[in-house]
Amino acid sequence: MTLQMNASRLSYEERRRIAAALASGRGYADIARELGRPRSTISREVARNGGIGRYQANRAQQAAEWRAGRKPGPRPADPSPPAPGDADPLAVGDFEARFAGMMVGSGVPPMMARVLAAMFTRDSGDVTAAELVARLHVSPSSVSKAVARLERRGLVHRERRDRREHYTLYEDVWYRAWTASAESMIAWASHAEEGAAVIGTATPAGVRLETTGRFFRLLRHDMLQAAEHWRRTLS
């Protein structure tokens, strides 16, 4: 792809794609190639608008309009505006980027976070592989790998309908996500207890490991009880 070497300003759609790419952990060079822009354009854009961790398309667009000496206007809209009661698709895109960024910050791998965010914002919670590829601007293999990992965590399931593969969020995905997190406590507990047995609890290190193991087992117990309580309350 030939880089655009002119001085044309970044569009709102480009800023939205930059925000989504940053949330997924992609670098400046990769983003620049996708947009057909010089890497320096992307790095300056991000640096002047909060940096990697705080970049938001809406704010960057408003700042650019202010710098251009004109009153910030409404964001570019689709030719057909959303019907009453429908969400603004550009606002939804911005939210998805921030939502995915939050998940990445909490330890979720970037592509898994982007797929989850895209599925959460659909009323049906159901998407096809082709829809995710088009929405996230990634390869089919990247989507397939992310969905496979989400399946292993019990957050989504797949089925074939109309000769297409569909990915669907479980209705109680919030409960499943919490219990999966609680189950990860077992690994901490088991390893800490193993270390205490190897080192011996008569030493400060052994006591530390033993206490760590007990802490994570008790924490898991409380997390599962709380999750079950609120699942029943919200059902």
Side-chain angles (χ1 to χ4, degrees):
M1 181 182 293
T2 302
L3 294 179
Q4 299 174 5
M5 298 306 291
N6 58 37
S8 62
R9 298 186 182 91
L10 288 168
S11 67
Y12 179 77
E13 173 59 20
E14 286 177 307
R15 290 188 167 99
R16 190 185 68 77
R17 290 169 67 181
I18 290 171
L22 292 173
S24 70
R26 294 166 62 191
Y28 292 152
D30 190 21
I31 298 171
R33 282 193 296 271
E34 179 182 316
L35 298 182
R37 294 278 189 172
R39 183 184 183 282
S40 58
T41 297
I42 306 303
S43 61
R44 283 197 301 269
E45 166 71 14
V46 176
R48 69 161 62 105
N49 291 290
I52 292 175
R54 301 180 65 185
Y55 184 87
Q56 294 183 23
N58 277 345
R59 293 181 180 177
Q61 182 71 16
Q62 291 172 356
E65 291 174 346
W66 182 85
R67 285 194 299 270
R70 53 192 172 92
K71 182 180 179 181
R75 290 169 302 161
D78 291 336
S80 299
D86 288 349
D88 178 349
L90 294 176
V92 172
D94 280 345
F95 166 74
E96 285 182 13
R98 296 194 303 273
F99 193 23
M102 176 277 295
M103 287 189 272
V104 170
S106 67
V108 178
M111 188 52 61
M112 288 174 59
R114 294 184 69 193
V115 169
L116 269 180
M119 296 178 74
F120 256 97
T121 56
R122 295 180 70 98
D123 286 340
S124 64
D126 180 287
V127 294
T128 65
E131 287 171 333
L132 284 174
V133 167
R135 187 173 187 84
L136 303 180
H137 304 287
V138 296
S139 68
S141 62
S142 295
V143 167
S144 181
K145 289 176 184 176
V147 170
R149 298 182 71 177
L150 290 169
E151 275 190 298
R152 288 195 293 271
R153 295 193 181 191
L155 302 181
V156 307
H157 61 93
R158 69 174 83 196
E159 60 181 81
R160 198 160 188 84
R161 302 195 309 270
D162 307 323
R163 294 183 294 182
R164 295 186 299 174
E165 192 166 63
H166 288 251
Y167 308 135
T168 307
L169 281 176
Y170 284 103
E171 284 300 317
D172 61 347
V173 61
W174 36 271
Y175 172 77
R176 291 168 175 266
W178 182 258
T179 53
S181 177
E183 288 303 324
S184 70
M185 301 296 99
I186 286 295
W188 270 93
S190 298
H191 281 78
E193 290 163 353
E194 179 185 352
V198 169
I199 296 174
T201 55
T203 66
V207 170
R208 183 185 307 117
L209 285 163
E210 181 184 42
T211 303
T212 298
R214 291 177 60 198
F215 170 80
F216 280 109
R217 284 199 182 275
L218 292 170
L219 181 62
R220 171 183 174 274
H221 176 268
D222 289 348
M223 287 174 68
L224 291 175
Q225 280 199 326
E228 182 61 23
H229 167 72
W230 290 113
R231 184 186 69 81
R232 292 178 179 178
T233 299
L234 295 172
S235 296

